[in-house]
Structures are given as C-alpha cells and as structure tokens.
Amino acid sequence: MPSAAALIAGAAYTPVRINADNSKLISEHLSDAYNWLATTLAAHEYESVFIHHKWMICADIAHTKKCTSSISDITKLSERDRLAVDDQGIDGMTIADFSIFKVLPVSLKSHFYDSEFFRFALSREAQLAIATNYRYEEFLYLSHPSDLSEVANQFIHIWSGQLVGRFGLNEQCDALQRSVNDLYAMESRVNSTRCVLYVLATWFDWMKRNQVFDNTKIIIVADHGAHDYCNNWVRGAVNPILLVKDFN
C-alpha cells in the first residue's frame, strides 16, 4: 500500500516523500495520485477508466469516464461467476486488524494478538474467502476485455492482486472450492500465473482482431518482484517487473 501512490503518479509520491509529510493519510495521498493521473489524461484528451482501484472510493477520482470496483457494473456474469464474488468485506477487515495491531502501544499488542478478531483475520476460513471471492473478481476483470476496451483515446487502469499470495485459481481458472487446499503452494501460484497470462494474451489477440493493437500502448508493472517463492522470495523483491509495448 505505501508504494501504490508512487506506482500511479511517480516520484513525488514515493514512501519517503509521503512519510516526510504527516499532514495526510496514505489514502489521501492515493486520492491525490489518482486525481493527478486522471486530470493529466483529460488535459491531453484521453478518457480514463479505472478498474478495481485500491483503498479508495470512485467518488474521490475526478475527470474520469468510468470508475468501478465491481465487475458486475461492466458485464453480465455467468451464474457460476456470481457465486464466487461474495463476502468482499473480509479483505478490508484483515487490513484493519493489521493496522490496529501496528499502532497499538507495546503493552496492548499481546492482548490484541490473542484476540478473536486477529485470529479470524489469519484463519484458513478468512484467507480462503479472500482468495476465492475477492481475488476471483479481480481475475474476472481480465477475462472480459471486450467489455473494457473501446476504439478511442482511452486510458484503462487495472489493478490486480491475483499474483500475490493467497492464490485463488484452480487448473481450469475457476475459483478454488472451499474445501481446497494450500493457497500458498507452488501449484496454486503456477495455476494463477498461467491463467493471468492466458487472459492477457486473449486480450492482446482481441486488440489485434479489432485493429487497435498498434495504436495501443501497454504497460505492465508490479510493486515488487519475487524469487524462489517458497524460500527466500524477498531476495528478488527489489526487482519489480516493468514491461512496455509501445505504439506501432
């Protein structure tokens, strides 16, 4: 979360700059970053679409054509997909629990750590619900490219945590069932990675068929890298991915 504003609006919003200014919450810096991006795009006659933006509400983003945090606002989901996007408040609750734990005085940390609230946030049930519901909806955004794309001067911003554990997709790229399995296993990671790469490739093919690929710039960026996921992954965390497909 501290790196998100910098990913959107550049060096002026790095964690160092944000930490040097205690007058705003991180969410307010994020709002400023999103608004800077939308305003800059509008000044150059680009329409902006924000899909599943993080940690803020659409009302805080000005000068955008469309902003949505729900795939159901964009396209008609199948009944199977609708069954997989419930209980979306759990991820926010987990973040809130960790935030409370961090700001508590040391004398109270042990009490909160042993509380039912904190235990549930880390429980298998809560983590599985996040992976199979919240994360699966993020995957659905990528699965409906023709509903997101238009042949126009348009900027589309999609934020996805699909390739950050907890991994929530099975071999068929459906949401994991409630009875299944190790959400941090290499198999779960490989399945999620393969599914995301497939839908991106499908989207690029759609662009080519509709003759908009050449006049589209595609940027894929992550806030950190990874290495040997099951062991010492942090060694590669300092190497985030940056892929750019320029016009023509």
Side-chain angles (χ1 to χ4, degrees), residues 48-66:
S48 57
V49 177
F50 294 94
I51 308 298
H52 199 72
H53 53 287
K54 283 286 193 177
W55 304 300
M56 58 180 298
I57 60 175
C58 284
D60 291 334
I61 306 177
H63 303 295
T64 181
K65 177 185 176 183
K66 188 173 186 64

Side-chain angles (χ1 to χ4, degrees), residues 27 30 51 82 92 96 111 113 127 152 168 181 193 206 211 238 248:
S27 58
L30 277 168
I51 308 298
R82 290 190 182 280
H111 298 286
Y113 186 78
Q127 298 299 302
N181 57 30
T193 302
W206 181 91
Q211 300 181 338
V238 296
N248 302 307

Side-chain angles (χ1 to χ4, degrees), residues 86-96 120-121 125-127 129-130 133-134 178:
D86 297 327
D87 304 326
Q88 300 224 2
I90 293 179
D91 198 38
M93 182 202 70
T94 304
I95 294 173
F120 178 71
E125 292 77 13
Q127 298 299 302
I130 294 168
N133 300 327
Y134 195 71
R178 296 284 182 169

Side-chain angles (χ1 to χ4, degrees), residues 43-82:
H44 290 82
E45 300 182 347
Y46 279 87
E47 296 176 335
S48 57
V49 177
F50 294 94
I51 308 298
H52 199 72
H53 53 287
K54 283 286 193 177
W55 304 300
M56 58 180 298
I57 60 175
C58 284
D60 291 334
I61 306 177
H63 303 295
T64 181
K65 177 185 176 183
K66 188 173 186 64
C67 175
T68 179
S69 57
S70 174
I71 186 66
S72 60
D73 294 339
I74 300 173
T75 187
K76 184 176 180 180
L77 299 181
S78 68
E79 187 61 31
R80 181 199 67 190
D81 291 336
R82 290 190 182 280

Side-chain angles (χ1 to χ4, degrees), residues 36-224:
W36 172 87
L37 178 58
T39 302
T40 302
L41 289 164
H44 290 82
E45 300 182 347
Y46 279 87
E47 296 176 335
S48 57
V49 177
F50 294 94
I51 308 298
H52 199 72
H53 53 287
K54 283 286 193 177
W55 304 300
M56 58 180 298
I57 60 175
C58 284
D60 291 334
I61 306 177
H63 303 295
T64 181
K65 177 185 176 183
K66 188 173 186 64
C67 175
T68 179
S69 57
S70 174
I71 186 66
S72 60
D73 294 339
I74 300 173
T75 187
K76 184 176 180 180
L77 299 181
S78 68
E79 187 61 31
R80 181 199 67 190
D81 291 336
R82 290 190 182 280
L83 295 175
V85 294
D86 297 327
D87 304 326
Q88 300 224 2
I90 293 179
D91 198 38
M93 182 202 70
T94 304
I95 294 173
D97 280 1
F98 276 97
S99 300
I100 293 170
F101 178 77
K102 286 188 174 184
V103 301
L104 282 176
V106 175
S107 60
L108 297 178
K109 284 185 184 292
S110 60
H111 298 286
F112 188 73
Y113 186 78
D114 290 332
S115 69
E116 289 294 329
F117 297 102
F118 201 83
R119 279 200 293 269
F120 178 71
L122 298 178
S123 70
R124 172 182 172 82
E125 292 77 13
Q127 298 299 302
L128 184 59
I130 294 168
T132 57
N133 300 327
Y134 195 71
R135 290 287 173 77
Y136 185 61
E137 187 178 29
E138 291 184 354
F139 177 71
L140 291 179
Y141 286 116
L142 298 176
S143 300
H144 294 81
S146 60
D147 295 304
L148 304 178
S149 303
E150 295 181 6
V151 184
N153 286 343
Q154 188 178 52
F155 175 91
I156 299 176
H157 172 277
I158 298 179
W159 186 293
S160 177
Q162 193 65 56
L163 298 184
V164 179
R166 309 146 300 259
F167 303 104
L169 299 173
N170 61 22
E171 291 184 354
Q172 288 73 43
C173 300
D174 291 329
L176 292 176
Q177 299 301 310
R178 296 284 182 169
S179 59
V180 183
N181 57 30
D182 186 353
L183 303 179
Y184 293 88
M186 183 58 74
E187 179 184 7
S188 300
R189 176 182 174 83
V190 169
N191 284 337
S192 292
T193 302
R194 178 177 53 79
C195 292
V196 169
L197 289 174
Y198 174 77
V199 296
L200 286 176
T202 301
W203 194 359
F204 300 158
D205 286 341
W206 181 91
M207 293 180 192
K208 292 176 181 178
R209 290 196 306 273
N210 287 272
Q211 300 181 338
V212 296
F213 187 77
D214 286 342
N215 64 354
T216 298
K217 175 178 282 191
I218 301 169
I219 302 173
I220 300 175
V221 64
D223 59 342
H224 63 75

